[in-house]
Amino acid sequence: HASDRFDGTKGDIEEHRDYTLLAAYEVTVRDDWKTRLADFGKKAAEGKLPKYVILAAGVRSDPDLHPASRLAEFVSGLPFDLAVVDLEDFFSVFCAELYREELRLAFNRAYALLAEPHLSGRVDLLDKFRTVANTWLEP
């Protein structure tokens, strides 16, 4: 959140075409995103975005958001169009689209970035990453 404010971006990930902002995505594992909906609406309005997308951890395990009818109810009263996607579902779909070697390369690159001391370097996160990766990759 602070980095978005610092650099003026509308999301953690932005999609541009010919210098025009097409979409913005917030990626979070924190559960406080539900209390920041006004901030996301403001970003969507400032960026003239038809829809704002949040990729959040734990959407399927959140009783306010699951099943899908509760998620639809949760976003229905907002003054902007909001899509909320479970982070695990997002990765499952995109990993399924990769061929085995592409998947291996992507996981190895992500691990290398996570291991960089100036980016993270946290042993606990590396252990969690290996656990997840082992469910996707052959030993």
Side-chain angles (χ1 to χ4, degrees):
H1 183 62
S3 64
D4 295 349
R5 190 176 316 141
F6 173 74
D7 62 15
T9 61
K10 303 304 173 210
D12 295 323
I13 301 168
E14 291 185 335
E15 183 180 348
H16 293 264
R17 181 181 305 132
D18 299 327
Y19 304 101
T20 300
L21 180 63
L22 300 177
Y25 306 85
E26 182 74 17
V27 182
T28 185
V29 295
R30 296 173 19 187
D31 58 3
D32 69 342
W33 66 267
K34 293 190 298 184
T35 64
R36 298 179 30 231
L37 297 178
D39 294 337
F40 301 130
K42 182 178 177 188
K43 288 180 181 188
E46 289 172 352
K48 298 180 177 81
L49 299 170
K51 178 179 287 207
Y52 199 84
V53 180
I54 297 175
L55 305 169
V59 172
R60 284 185 290 121
S61 61
D62 187 324
D64 294 332
L65 306 174
H66 189 79
S69 59
R70 288 192 180 144
L71 176 57
E73 185 179 310
F74 179 80
V75 300
S76 68
L78 296 174
F80 66 103
D81 194 356
L82 176 66
V84 181
V85 179
D86 188 286
L87 198 52
E88 187 176 334
D89 291 341
F90 173 83
F91 279 109
S92 294
V93 168
F94 279 86
C95 286
E97 290 295 314
L98 296 174
Y99 291 103
R100 184 177 308 167
E101 187 56 28
E102 293 171 322
L103 187 61
R104 188 180 318 279
L105 291 170
F107 271 79
N108 287 339
R109 178 70 174 135
Y111 184 85
L113 291 171
L114 193 58
E116 284 289 327
H118 68 280
L119 295 176
S120 169
R122 290 179 42 191
V123 174
D124 61 321
L125 295 180
L126 291 169
D127 289 342
K128 288 179 182 181
F129 184 91
R130 279 192 294 272
T131 299
V132 170
N134 285 337
T135 64
W136 279 96
L137 301 175
E138 298 172 356

